[in-house]
């Protein structure tokens, strides 16, 4: 405050460069693209090299209709644009490229706050949500919510509302600029107030069903993993029992080679070596298998069950 008092006591600057970003005074040449002096009949505080000097309080920021709508304000009907500038939106650029004659045309209308009024939200009638031209609801501020409607921040609510034949619209809360384009930012859905409890109850039931299916899926997967593990362990034990005879018989043969010198001398180990050879001879093993099969004969059903558990190379 003391700084402003000191500035007011000083005379007007004499250099044009001193007026740029000056806290008290302004020149028209230093106004930005979206700035203007209002009212047009603003008092002139003086002149600097033939240019009128205005108070900084007369400098106002202008916006387009869409920008004012984001602040929950609309341009009054019949208002004339206070200023026209060259727009740089994708739509404006494409239009200028299509018609070279309009390349330098000022096509963006700007309005001041004094030309706008507060946004009046529409009223929902017969369970229908009032929408814009794009089929959704602009909800940049809470005051823009249509009368008789509520905002529900529940995922995938539109799919459930379609099943129940209830009107539902996406809530657009802003725009995100990336990739060279403007993308809408959604936040929930807008539905009529009389359907709020029905939709919430249906959504909770659906989530419970989804969670139940996911739980059953996890349990089924865990049970399948345990089955695979159990089958693997059973196959491992069966292979051990089936092929352990060969490993046991191979051990005496190695012992026989180690005791070769003692066998040549005619010791008692020669008799055991002959016995081992008799046991390991394929014909003798086949005879032993036939004797065991005769002792324990199995039915066709048992044989069929055992054959189902064999490997393909074991069935040959």
């Amino acid at each position: 405050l003391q700084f402003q008092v000191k500035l007011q006591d000083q005379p007007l600057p004499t250099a044009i460069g001193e007026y740029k970003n000056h806290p008290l005074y302004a020149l028209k040449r230093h106004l930005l693209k979206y700035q203007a002096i209002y009212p047009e009949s603003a008092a002139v505080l003086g002149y600097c090299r033939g240019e009128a000097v205005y108070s900084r309080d007369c400098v106002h920021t202008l916006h387009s209709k869409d920008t004012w709508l984001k602040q929950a304000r609309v341009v009054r009907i019949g208002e004339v644009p206070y200023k026209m500038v060259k727009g740089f939106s994708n739509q404006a650029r494409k239009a200028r490229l299509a018609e070279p004659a309009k390349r330098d045309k000022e096509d963006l209308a700007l309005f001041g706050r004094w030309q706008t009024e507060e946004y009046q939200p529409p009223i929902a009638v017969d369970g229908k949500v009032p929408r814009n031209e794009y089929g959704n609801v602009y909800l940049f501020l809470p005051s823009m919510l249509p009368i008789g409607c509520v905002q529900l921040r529940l995922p995938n609510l539109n799919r459930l509302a379609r099943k129940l034949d209830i009107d539902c619209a996406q809530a657009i809360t802003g725009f995100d600029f990336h990739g060279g384009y403007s993308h809408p930012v959604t936040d929930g859905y807008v539905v009529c107030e009389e359907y709020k409890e029905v939709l919430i109850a249906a959504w909770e039931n659906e989530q419970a069903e989804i969670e139940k299916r996911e739980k059953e899926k996890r349990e089924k997967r865990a049970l399948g993993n345990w089955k695979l593990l159990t089958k693997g362990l059973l196959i491992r034990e069966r292979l051990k029992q089936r092929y352990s005879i060969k490993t046991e018989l191979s051990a005496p043969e190695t012992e026989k080679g180690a005791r070769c010198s003692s066998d040549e001398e005619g010791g008692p180990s020669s008799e055991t070596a002959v016995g081992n050879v008799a046991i390991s001879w394929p014909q003798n093993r086949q005879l032993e298998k036939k004797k065991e099969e005769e002792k324990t004969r199995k039915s066709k059903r048992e044989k069929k069950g055992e054959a189902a558990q064999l490997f393909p190379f074991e069935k040959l």
Side-chain angles (χ1 to χ4, degrees):
L1 183 60
Q2 294 178 357
F3 180 71
Q4 290 183 355
V5 172
K6 288 182 179 180
L7 287 175
Q8 290 175 358
D9 294 339
Q10 295 179 359
L12 293 176
T14 56
I16 291 178
E18 295 180 7
Y19 286 95
K20 191 172 185 179
N21 297 327
H22 196 281
L24 297 180
Y25 311 112
L27 298 177
K28 280 189 176 181
R29 67 158 63 189
H30 294 148
L31 295 180
L32 301 179
K33 179 180 179 179
Y34 292 95
Q35 288 181 345
I37 292 177
Y38 177 80
E40 295 180 356
S41 59
V44 178
L45 303 180
Y47 293 90
C48 180
R49 297 186 183 181
E51 293 189 31
V53 179
Y54 297 94
S55 174
R56 182 61 67 174
D57 295 334
C58 298
V59 178
H60 297 270
T61 302
L62 309 179
H63 298 294
S64 62
K65 289 184 178 181
D66 295 336
T67 306
W68 281 120
L69 184 61
K70 294 176 184 178
Q71 300 180 19
R73 299 190 69 85
V74 293
V75 178
R76 289 194 294 264
I77 299 174
E79 289 289 344
V80 180
Y82 196 76
K83 187 178 181 180
M84 296 292 296
V85 297
K86 189 177 179 180
F88 285 96
S89 63
N90 289 325
Q91 186 177 0
R93 283 200 297 265
K94 290 178 181 178
R96 283 196 293 270
L97 291 174
E99 299 182 14
K102 298 181 179 180
R103 187 163 295 176
D104 298 328
K105 183 182 178 181
E106 296 178 344
D107 53 0
L108 181 61
L110 300 180
F111 300 88
R113 187 178 181 86
W114 61 92
Q115 294 178 293
T116 63
E117 60 185 3
E118 291 185 1
Y119 176 80
Q120 299 297 330
I123 302 174
V125 180
D126 297 332
K128 298 294 181 181
V129 179
R131 307 162 184 257
N132 55 22
E133 61 272 18
Y134 301 104
N136 44 46
V137 178
Y138 286 141
L139 201 61
F140 303 117
L141 293 176
S143 60
M144 298 180 68
L145 184 67
I147 299 173
C149 296
V150 293
Q151 181 185 10
L152 298 178
R153 294 180 175 87
L154 302 176
N156 301 324
L157 187 66
N158 57 336
R159 179 171 51 82
L160 184 60
R162 197 181 303 115
K163 289 181 182 179
L164 300 175
D165 197 17
I166 296 175
D167 193 28
C168 176
Q170 271 191 333
I172 305 298
T173 58
F175 290 92
D176 183 24
F177 295 89
H178 63 271
Y181 291 91
S182 175
H183 304 271
V185 178
T186 61
D187 185 16
Y189 299 88
V190 177
V191 298
C192 291
E193 197 170 1
E194 55 265 26
Y195 299 121
K196 176 182 177 182
E197 300 298 333
V198 177
L199 285 172
I200 291 176
W203 184 84
E204 290 177 351
N205 292 335
E206 186 184 38
Q207 294 301 312
E209 289 293 331
I210 292 173
E211 188 177 354
K212 182 180 177 181
R213 288 196 296 269
E214 290 292 333
K215 184 178 179 181
E216 291 177 354
K217 186 178 178 180
R218 289 194 300 269
E219 291 179 353
K220 185 177 179 181
R221 183 178 178 182
L223 185 61
N225 292 339
W226 279 111
K227 284 183 178 179
L228 287 175
L229 178 61
T230 307
K231 284 183 178 180
L233 293 175
L234 291 175
I235 291 171
R236 181 182 177 185
E237 292 298 324
R238 191 164 66 246
L239 291 174
K240 278 185 178 180
Q241 293 176 2
R242 185 168 298 172
Y243 296 103
S244 60
I245 299 173
K246 293 182 179 180
T247 57
E248 290 176 358
L249 293 176
S250 61
E253 291 179 0
T254 56
E255 292 177 1
K256 179 184 71 175
R259 299 176 182 177
C260 181
S261 58
S262 60
D263 291 342
E264 291 175 355
E265 295 176 358
S269 61
S270 60
E271 298 177 0
T272 58
V274 172
N276 292 336
V277 171
I279 292 172
S280 61
W281 194 255
Q283 294 180 355
N284 297 338
R285 289 182 62 192
Q286 290 178 1
L287 292 173
E288 291 178 0
K289 287 183 178 179
K290 287 182 180 180
K291 291 178 181 180
E292 291 179 357
E293 290 177 357
E294 289 177 359
K295 291 180 181 179
T296 57
R297 290 186 177 181
K298 299 179 181 180
S299 62
K300 291 183 178 180
R301 183 178 295 178
E302 292 176 351
K303 291 180 180 180
K304 188 175 180 181
E306 290 180 355
Q309 297 181 359
L310 295 176
F311 293 102
F313 64 85
E314 294 178 335
K315 297 179 182 180
L316 299 177

